[in-house]
Amino acid sequence: MTLSHNILVLNIGSTNTKIAVFEIDHPKFQETIAHGPELTGPLSEYMAQFPLYLEHVKQILVDHHIDVGQLDIIVSQGGLTAPISSGVYLIDQRMCDDLRSGKYGQHPTNLGPLIAHDLAGSAGIRAVIVDSPSTDEFHDLARISGMPEIERKSAFHALNQKAAAGMAARDMGISYAESNMVVAHLGGGITVGAHCQGKVIDSTIGVGEGAMTPERPGTLPLMDLLRLLESGQLSLADLRGKLTSEGGLLAYLGTSDMRQVETQIRQGHEKSRLLLRAMAYQIATDIGAMTTVLHGKVDAIVLTGGLANAAMLVDWIVERVKFIAPVKVYPDEQEMHALAAGAFSALSGTEAIQHYGLPG
């Protein structure tokens, strides 16, 4: 019997749900649905909204006349799990338990594998993740934080960074597995990774480190942050909100919409211009830092993600880093196609499905 290779692809984020059905590498349909008020709220409360997210996905499938029983596999963007290698992993009960507990981190992306597991169970098929954000290929030097009680951990946009790096390698006629690249994912979260011969050996993390984003402050002066907490101006809960969804451009300008920020700049708003240039400056600084991780031997700098559509931001980054290596720009995420490709490789047997296990 020949499989039809119908693949349901899920990507649950903090502000939207991306859903598609692919036949091998061709999307039958693909939608991005912004979350309404019922699916937004404090980061700590998203897991309680799981039933709403699940019904939201089921309704989209009904609207597109998709019978889950006719699918061959379901693939989801990964969540924050124990550190794992890159590749395709079966979503099993152990992974779901870790995602529900939030023991490795809290983020709405944790819901995607849970929804995939639920739907797959009802249809009697497998559900997998591909290149999880918890993909860990760090070298030992990258793990040292400066405090024995805290280890730097790998938590970045692995799926999109690797997909964009692969596109750059193909476009340049080189092998990703034999090249060095610095890749910046530019979106609601921003991460910059050092890709060394197919492995991401260091990267900024999505929350609390690196450049500021439209809604996050990035790296902050720690002593000033402690003084702010000690002053009583902010509670710990207030600070958590500012670190995850109430900082960055939003805190300074009252908007996180890049189109609105660029419009303000074209209208002569100097504050908006200063803030966007500062974001570009910080991203370029992180790119420069990752260049040193690769000993200056960089085949390409790759910019990807939704904010790579923002011409002003991209131009200001490029002008600072183009001396390092050629800059390749791939606007928007490559994640949905990368997820479908990973699921197809598992179905076809060209890539083994790995099993999730705890470290140690």
Side-chain angles (χ1 to χ4, degrees):
M1 178 179 175
T2 302
L3 290 175
S4 60
H5 297 312
N6 286 315
I7 302 166
L8 173 61
V9 182
L10 300 175
N11 192 343
I12 311 296
S14 56
T15 60
N16 59 56
T17 292
K18 297 176 183 177
I19 184 169
V21 170
F22 281 71
E23 186 169 9
I24 306 179
D25 60 353
H26 177 71
K28 290 184 173 181
F29 87 88
Q30 184 169 336
E31 279 196 29
T32 299
I33 311 296
H35 293 160
E38 76 282 2
L39 294 179
T40 57
L43 187 64
S44 59
E45 296 179 5
Y46 73 90
M47 194 56 70
Q49 297 174 331
F50 170 77
L52 289 175
Y53 277 89
L54 178 60
E55 289 306 312
H56 186 59
V57 169
K58 286 181 175 179
Q59 187 59 54
I60 295 172
L61 294 177
V62 169
D63 293 344
H64 287 275
H65 310 290
I66 299 299
D67 180 357
V68 177
Q70 299 301 309
L71 298 169
D72 295 299
I73 197 167
I74 301 174
V75 59
S76 171
Q77 167 73 283
L80 300 178
T81 65
I84 55 178
S85 301
S86 62
V88 181
Y89 282 79
L90 184 71
I91 302 172
D92 59 15
Q93 192 58 53
R94 175 182 283 180
M95 182 185 293
C96 290
D97 289 345
D98 282 353
L99 291 170
R100 286 187 182 278
S101 72
K103 65 189 293 186
Y104 295 103
Q106 301 276 3
H107 195 276
T109 194
N110 287 5
L111 293 169
L114 298 177
I115 292 171
H117 186 257
D118 186 285
L119 295 174
S122 67
I125 58 177
R126 292 172 294 180
V128 297
I129 61 172
V130 178
D131 287 344
S132 162
S134 294
T135 293
D136 186 354
E137 300 169 331
F138 275 18
H139 63 175
D140 289 342
L141 292 175
R143 302 184 189 280
I144 306 301
S145 71
M147 281 185 63
E149 298 87 349
I150 299 175
E151 179 182 274
R152 285 189 73 242
K153 294 181 174 63
S154 179
F156 69 107
H157 302 89
L159 180 68
N160 196 46
Q161 281 204 29
K162 283 179 172 282
M167 292 179 66
R170 289 190 294 272
D171 288 349
M172 297 174 70
I174 60 178
S175 166
Y176 171 59
E178 298 176 356
S179 60
N180 288 349
M181 299 186 188
V182 176
V183 184
H185 171 98
L186 311 177
I190 293 175
T191 56
V192 180
H195 294 236
C196 180
Q197 299 183 355
K199 294 186 180 297
V200 185
I201 62 173
D202 198 353
S203 177
T204 59
I205 66 172
V207 179
E209 186 178 288
M212 71 173 174
T213 82
E215 296 181 350
R216 299 173 190 166
T219 301
L220 294 169
L222 287 179
M223 298 309 295
D224 290 334
L225 188 61
L226 288 174
R227 279 191 283 269
L228 187 60
L229 276 174
E230 291 169 348
S231 73
Q233 295 180 54
L234 288 179
S235 67
L236 189 58
D238 292 335
L239 177 60
R240 192 178 300 276
K242 288 184 178 294
L243 291 176
T244 57
S245 60
E246 301 166 12
L249 295 182
L250 179 64
Y252 284 99
L253 301 175
T255 182
S256 58
D257 187 331
M258 189 60 66
R259 293 166 298 182
Q260 186 174 343
V261 173
E262 289 191 317
T263 297
Q264 291 172 349
I265 293 171
R266 285 191 290 270
Q267 292 173 345
H269 293 204
E270 287 303 317
K271 183 177 181 181
S272 298
R273 179 182 176 85
L274 173 66
L275 267 295
L276 193 59
R277 284 190 68 88
M279 179 184 287
Y281 174 87
Q282 292 175 13
I283 294 166
T285 299
D286 287 341
I287 290 171
M290 291 301 162
T291 298
T292 69
V293 172
L294 299 170
H295 299 278
K297 298 175 181 178
V298 181
D299 295 294
I301 294 167
V302 182
L303 307 181
T304 186
L307 295 186
N309 285 298
M312 290 181 185
L313 178 67
V314 168
D315 287 347
W316 287 333
I317 295 170
V318 171
E319 72 180 15
R320 290 187 180 275
V321 303
K322 63 184 179 182
F323 74 95
I324 298 170
V327 181
K328 309 289 288 185
V329 182
Y330 299 98
D332 298 320
E333 291 85 356
Q334 321 303 321
E335 292 175 341
M336 299 300 279
H337 280 82
L339 287 168
F344 175 67
S345 68
L347 279 175
S348 62
T350 58
E351 183 167 353
I353 298 179
Q354 303 177 66
H355 290 271
Y356 178 70
L358 296 177

